[in-house]
């Protein structure tokens, strides 16, 4: 069942088009993320669903009802803001109870429901605190509780974790997802953090300059990006530019501008002479001292520098043709082979690990 | 001598520098010194005067008696003056609050050039002397002034309305001068309210009016407090406006004090009136603090 639907939504601010003709359906209980760089229109889209902005064109449906021109306070949505927007003059309890009070819920019922939701976010013992007395993570939970307690039709989250430090962000990522699943609420999540989007979402919507570039599950987005923008935005990749010189069925031979001969798998039909871009994920490059398994896509190179980062080590490799590659190996993969600077290595790239895009 | 002094000064400075809790003292010392020299010491002198009595030709006979205070409290004209001053202060404050809140709110929500322009317009009246601004009301409200002229001309009235030299004119004149003192602090606190809080309130089901009373008003309380105190204190002590626009019945405490000092040469009684005025103001502010909480003024800035 479709819970939230956008039909041809466009938002203009003067001459500037913030969101350009996007259409999308969000399933009941789905966790959907809008992911993109700042200024891509993701927050504007969320604010239009919330009713805080009116679309210039198109329709928004929530639970089958068209909500254009319905003010936010009539929409029954729960929203968590980037800076949490907790009322500084109200206690945790009063903050959470606010939405219920606006709905004329009885005092006893408010007590019960606020108590329940504070249990869910594990803040029952702090209900008399003022927001300024809470840590960032606790504030985030209060904001979540305040949005959930009113049983909204849809939960909207606007970069709720971006103000937390890295460790806490990871914790809250898991926590938020857990709470969302427990409640089973349709959730729209706006972020510019790919890790958040990849780890929490059922589906990700990649946006750029007001348009949807790709919609798909985290796995699809990661493994089969549709455009170079997605390939560059998600994960960390090396980009090689070249020309197709031979096509043998699925397999294509490509010569890069630096003179590297490399074979890849083509998803679609490619003609000889066509310019292409090749993306190689940093973690899919294999490095060894000797490589005897396969003669294809094995290149000789030199470790220009190695940057040890604990769990991972990042290698900057220069192939003999001049191509530079960045590779990342985690401790398990590189336990046997921790390469030093200036060591000669063989680099191997599986043809199926290469992402091919028309250049 | 110079060397000695600088050594002494350095000694103090290094003592203070090594103690973090004293550092703020160093920062406020110039203004503190000013206040001690030109406010507290004169105040103590006035306090001493108020217990003295008037001698021949306006001289001061130092003694200790409560005669001046007794005289003040037992003379209805004087008690009426202080009560009237407080009432006018409250009236001016209320009118300023009602008239000032919404312009302040509008200013606080406005962005960019228009906001700067309007703030400048708010400050421009300060470039003109209060005397000129107050006298201009005499022209406007006078029997031959434009208001009466047009009302007569259109036949709405048959004889000029007496606006001047009544409480109405005093309040009008004071509101005119005090309004920016109300608008500016409220504007500052409205400006500090995060738009996201209003969005959050709306997303939780509160309409514009509820959001205003639940979020905007409580969060602008620091500004309201500051504005009200400022307007009230300055209005109660107003001298020029009631002197120019008020009638004999509208005598305010500052005029009473001025008369005793400069016309009647009764400095001891004038001093007693000044002390009574001061105590009254402190009392009213104390009550205000109990009710609204003066500490709210600081709440907005440091969040504590």
């Amino acid at each position: 069942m479709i819970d939230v639907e956008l039909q041809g939504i466009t938002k203009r601010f003067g001459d500037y088009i913030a969101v350009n003709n996007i259409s999308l359906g969000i399933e009941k209980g789905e966790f959907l993320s809008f992911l993109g760089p700042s200024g891509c229109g993701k927050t504007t889209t969320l604010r239009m669903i919330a009713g805080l902005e009116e679309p210039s064109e198109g329709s928004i449906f929530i639970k089958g009802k068209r909500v254009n021109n319905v003010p936010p306070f009539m929409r029954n949505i729960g929203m968590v803001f980037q800076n949490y927007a907790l009322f500084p003059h109200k206690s945790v309890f009063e903050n959470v109870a606010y939405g219920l009070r606006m709905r004329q819920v009885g005092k006893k019922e408010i007590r019960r429901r606020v108590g329940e939701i504070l249990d869910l976010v594990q803040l029952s013992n702090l209900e008399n605190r003022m927001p300024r007395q809470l840590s960032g993570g606790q504030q985030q939970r209060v904001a979540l509780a305040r949005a959930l307690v009113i049983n909204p039709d849809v939960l909207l989250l606007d970069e709720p974790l971006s103000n937390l430090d890295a460790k806490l962000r990871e914790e809250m990522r898991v926590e938020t997802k857990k709470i969302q699943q427990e409640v089973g609420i349709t959730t729209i999540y706006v972020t510019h953090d790919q890790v958040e989007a990849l780890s929490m979402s059922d589906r990700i919507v990649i946006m750029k300059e007001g348009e949807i570039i790709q919609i798909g599950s985290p796995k699809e987005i990661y493994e089969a990006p549709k455009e170079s923008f997605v390939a560059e935005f998600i994960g960390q990749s090396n980009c090689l530019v070249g020309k197709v010189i031979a096509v043998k069925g699925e397999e294509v031979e490509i010569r890069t501008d630096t003179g590297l001969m490399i074979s890849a798998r083509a998803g679609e039909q490619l003609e000889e002479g066509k310019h292409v871009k090749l993306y190689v994920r940093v973690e899919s490059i294999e490095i060894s001292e000797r490589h005897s398994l396969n003669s294809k896509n094995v290149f000789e190179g030199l470790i220009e520098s190695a940057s040890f980062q604990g769990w991972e080590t990042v290698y900057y490799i220069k192939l003999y043709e001049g191509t530079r590659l960045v590779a990342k190996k985690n401790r398990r993969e590189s336990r046997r082979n921790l390469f030093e600077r200036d060591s000669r290595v063989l680099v191997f790239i599986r043809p199926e690990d290469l992402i091919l895009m028309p250049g | 001598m110079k060397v000695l002094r600088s050594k002494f000064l350095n000694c103090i400075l290094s003592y203070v520098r090594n103690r973090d809790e004293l550092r703020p003292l160093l920062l406020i010392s110039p203004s503190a010194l000013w206040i001690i020299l030109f406010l507290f010491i004169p105040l103590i002198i006035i306090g001493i005067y108020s217990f003295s009595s008037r001698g021949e030709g306006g001289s001061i006979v130092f003694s200790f008696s409560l005669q001046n205070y007794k005289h003040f409290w037992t003379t209805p004209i004087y008690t009426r003056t202080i009560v009237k001053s407080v009432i006018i202060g409250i009236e001016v404050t209320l009118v300023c609050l009602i008239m000032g809140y919404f312009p302040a709110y509008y200013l606080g929500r406005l962005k960019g050039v228009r906001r700067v322009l309007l703030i400048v317009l708010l400050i421009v009246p300060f470039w003109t002397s209060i005397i000129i601004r107050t006298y201009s009301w005499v022209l406007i409200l006078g029997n031959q002034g434009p208001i009466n002229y047009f009302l007569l001309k259109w036949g709405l009235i048959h004889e000029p309305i007496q606006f001047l030299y009544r409480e109405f004119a005093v309040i009008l004149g004071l509101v005119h001068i005090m309004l920016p003192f109300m608008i500016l602090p409220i504007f500052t606190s409205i400006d500090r309210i995060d738009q996201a809080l209003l969005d959050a309130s709306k997303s939780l089901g509160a309409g514009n009016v509820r959001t205003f009373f639940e979020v905007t008003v409580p969060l602008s309380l620091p500004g309201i407090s500051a504005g009200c105190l400022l307007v009230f204190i300055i209005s109660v002590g107003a001298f020029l406006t009631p002197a120019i626009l008020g009638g004999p019945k509208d005598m305010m405490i500052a005029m009473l004090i001025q008369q005793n000092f400069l016309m009647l040469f009764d400095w001891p009684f004038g001093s007693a009136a000044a002390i009574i005025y001061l105590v009254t103001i402190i009392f009213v502010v104390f009550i205000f603090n109990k009710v609204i909480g003066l500490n709210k003024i600081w709440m907005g800035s440091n969040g504590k």
Side-chain angles (χ1 to χ4, degrees):
Chain A
M1 200 178 98
I2 300 287
D3 234 16
V4 179
E5 195 177 2
L6 311 180
Q7 285 182 355
I9 293 293
T10 295
K11 177 68 184 177
R12 281 183 287 266
F13 294 106
D15 287 337
Y16 176 70
I17 299 172
V19 175
N20 194 4
N21 192 24
I22 67 171
S23 297
L24 179 70
I26 300 148
E27 295 278 334
K28 187 171 173 51
E30 185 177 10
F31 193 116
L32 182 111
S33 293
F34 282 100
L35 176 64
S38 48
C40 71
K42 56 192 194 298
T43 295
T44 308
T45 307
L46 193 79
R47 289 177 64 84
M48 284 192 285
I49 298 168
L52 297 168
E53 308 277 356
E54 273 304 315
S56 313
E57 279 167 39
S59 303
I60 299 173
F61 297 88
I62 297 177
K63 289 220 185 285
K65 213 181 86 198
R66 189 170 186 271
V67 293
N68 291 51
N69 300 317
V70 174
F73 50 90
M74 309 279 282
R75 284 195 188 188
N76 201 33
I77 41 146
M79 185 153 176
V80 176
F81 294 80
Q82 188 169 5
N83 58 2
Y84 319 126
L86 297 179
F87 304 123
H89 57 299
K90 293 180 189 287
S91 68
V92 168
F93 180 87
E94 289 167 327
N95 262 284
V96 178
Y98 191 83
L100 295 174
R101 221 153 46 75
M102 295 306 130
R103 283 164 173 73
Q104 257 87 43
V105 176
K107 269 220 168 90
K108 262 193 185 157
E109 177 73 359
I110 290 182
R111 268 253 124 237
R112 189 181 67 75
R113 281 169 71 179
V114 172
E116 261 177 32
I117 207 83
L118 286 178
D119 272 346
L120 182 70
V121 297
Q122 294 164 20
L123 284 179
S124 327
N125 50 336
L126 299 178
E127 62 173 40
N128 293 321
R129 292 270 184 96
M130 296 306 273
R132 63 175 176 272
Q133 298 169 311
L134 302 178
S135 70
Q138 290 168 335
Q139 289 186 23
Q140 204 266 345
R141 282 171 214 234
V142 176
L144 195 60
R146 186 178 68 174
L148 284 173
V149 77
I150 56 176
N151 286 330
D153 293 334
V154 52
L155 178 65
L156 307 174
L157 301 152
D158 184 9
E159 310 223 11
L161 306 181
S162 62
N163 284 342
L164 302 176
D165 61 65
K167 206 169 152 65
L168 193 58
R169 199 181 311 161
E170 202 173 311
E171 255 175 64
M172 288 310 296
R173 213 158 60 207
V174 178
E175 186 80 1
T176 307
K177 177 72 184 171
K178 202 183 102 200
I179 292 169
Q180 186 264 340
Q181 278 173 332
E182 254 168 74
V183 180
I185 188 173
T186 311
T187 302
I188 303 174
Y189 191 97
V190 159
T191 182
H192 63 267
D193 184 324
Q194 46 166 307
V195 182
E196 279 175 25
L198 290 170
S199 63
M200 297 168 86
S201 320
D202 296 317
R203 273 194 306 162
I204 298 175
V205 178
I206 307 271
M207 285 187 76
K208 179 196 167 195
E209 289 164 10
E211 290 180 30
I212 294 179
I213 303 294
Q214 189 173 0
I215 305 178
S217 70
K219 211 159 172 278
E220 282 164 12
I221 297 274
Y222 190 80
E223 288 176 354
K226 265 190 198 153
E227 279 193 26
S228 353
F229 171 76
V230 182
E232 279 162 32
F233 190 69
I234 302 282
Q236 205 182 340
S237 302
N238 297 282
C239 179
L240 306 173
V241 185
K243 216 189 245 180
V244 178
I245 53 165
V247 183
K248 293 171 221 150
E250 273 215 316
E251 200 138 307
V252 280
E253 285 287 321
I254 292 150
R255 185 175 35 218
T256 69
D257 292 356
T258 46
L260 201 67
M261 296 294 287
I262 195 161
S263 54
R265 291 265 164 81
E268 53 193 301
Q269 275 302 316
L270 282 170
E271 294 147 37
E272 281 178 33
K274 202 169 159 110
H275 287 274
V276 288
K277 271 186 186 165
L278 277 169
Y279 290 96
V280 194
R281 297 262 185 231
V282 289
E283 68 276 7
S284 59
I285 296 175
E286 284 180 32
I287 313 168
S288 60
E289 280 163 321
R290 259 171 290 281
H291 204 292
S292 51
L293 286 169
N294 198 326
S295 57
K296 244 179 203 167
N297 288 359
V298 176
F299 312 105
E300 278 184 284
L302 190 75
I303 303 272
E304 282 196 315
S305 73
S307 154
F308 177 72
Q309 295 174 356
W311 169 242
E312 287 172 330
T313 304
V314 181
Y315 294 106
Y316 297 85
I317 307 161
K318 188 181 177 187
L319 303 184
Y320 286 157
E321 300 80 15
T323 312
R324 283 194 160 83
L325 293 173
V326 181
K328 229 183 221 177
K329 295 282 108 190
N330 66 35
R331 277 186 78 78
R332 185 166 312 125
E333 294 168 300
S334 56
R335 186 163 299 152
R336 285 162 295 145
N337 307 309
L338 262 175
F339 300 101
E340 298 285 325
R341 214 183 118 180
D342 289 335
S343 38
R344 283 154 186 267
V345 289
L346 288 173
V347 167
F348 170 54
I349 304 164
R350 279 173 219 283
E352 60 269 31
D353 282 345
L354 281 158
I355 300 158
L356 202 57
M357 300 267 172
Chain B
M1 179 66 195
K2 204 176 171 188
V3 178
L4 205 75
R5 197 189 56 189
S6 70
K7 226 179 203 171
F8 175 66
L9 216 88
N10 281 340
C11 192
I12 293 178
L13 281 177
S14 64
Y15 178 83
V16 169
R17 264 197 209 110
N18 293 332
R19 277 158 193 79
D20 280 347
E21 73 277 9
L22 289 180
R23 251 184 226 177
L25 273 182
L26 198 66
L27 287 173
I28 64 162
S29 59
S31 39
L33 203 66
W34 188 270
I35 287 174
I36 288 168
L37 277 179
F38 300 112
L39 185 70
F40 278 111
I41 293 175
L43 214 55
I44 288 165
I45 296 172
I46 285 185
I48 294 168
Y49 280 174
S50 73
F51 295 110
S52 311
S53 55
R54 181 179 185 266
E56 282 295 309
S59 65
I60 293 154
V61 181
F62 290 100
S63 60
F64 183 84
S65 82
L66 293 167
Q67 182 53 38
N68 294 316
Y69 291 96
K70 212 180 271 167
H71 181 52
F72 190 99
W73 283 121
T74 49
T75 314
I77 293 181
Y78 299 146
T79 46
R80 217 183 295 140
T81 307
I82 188 89
V83 171
K84 181 116 194 172
S85 301
V86 171
I87 288 173
I88 287 184
I90 291 171
E91 285 169 340
V92 171
T93 307
L94 288 179
V95 175
C96 279
L97 181 61
I98 293 162
M99 286 180 61
Y101 194 89
F102 292 97
Y105 178 83
Y106 179 69
L107 262 180
R109 291 277 140 236
L110 212 61
K111 300 274 166 274
V113 186
R114 289 205 297 163
R115 167 194 218 162
V116 177
L117 201 78
L118 285 176
I119 291 174
V120 169
L121 282 181
L122 199 64
I123 295 167
V124 162
F126 288 109
W127 299 350
T128 318
S129 130
I130 291 181
I131 302 187
I132 293 171
R133 279 191 284 157
T134 307
Y135 264 118
S136 62
W137 283 113
V138 175
L139 298 178
I140 295 167
L141 298 175
N143 287 357
Q144 273 89 46
I147 294 178
N148 273 318
Y149 173 80
F150 283 110
L151 287 176
L152 281 169
K153 195 181 169 193
W154 295 330
L156 291 168
I157 51 173
H158 298 294
E159 51 190 88
I161 298 173
Q162 183 64 44
F163 291 116
L164 282 174
Y165 315 123
R166 313 173 88 172
E167 199 184 314
F168 168 77
V170 176
I171 290 173
L172 189 69
L174 279 174
V175 167
H176 171 203
I177 287 156
M178 300 312 302
L179 204 50
F181 291 103
M182 184 65 89
I183 293 179
L184 286 172
I186 296 179
F187 154 71
T188 314
S189 61
I190 298 258
D191 184 41
R192 230 183 265 148
I193 299 176
D194 186 355
Q195 176 64 38
L197 291 177
L198 309 181
D199 288 347
S201 170
K202 284 176 199 166
S203 80
L204 288 166
N208 291 328
V209 177
R210 299 251 7 216
T211 297
F212 178 76
F213 285 109
E214 291 277 349
V215 182
T216 310
V217 170
L219 290 180
S220 60
L221 262 184
I224 295 175
S225 273
C228 285
L229 272 183
L230 215 57
V231 170
F232 176 76
I233 292 171
I234 303 177
S235 299
V236 174
F239 171 72
L240 268 174
T241 314
I244 295 170
L245 298 175
K249 278 198 288 180
D250 307 310
M251 172 129 89
M252 284 174 73
I253 188 71
M255 295 165 69
L256 181 76
I257 296 166
Q258 185 259 4
Q259 269 181 8
N260 276 288
F261 272 90
L262 300 181
M263 294 177 185
L264 307 173
F265 297 105
D266 193 346
W267 286 30
F269 184 73
S271 301
I275 296 291
I276 286 168
Y277 160 56
L278 184 71
V279 171
T280 309
I281 287 283
I282 290 172
F283 178 71
V284 173
V285 171
F286 178 77
I287 297 289
F288 182 84
N289 185 23
K290 280 275 167 213
V291 177
I292 297 192
L294 202 57
N295 47 5
K296 286 233 168 71
I297 296 179
W298 328 120
M299 186 192 84
S301 56
N302 61 12
K304 274 178 193 147

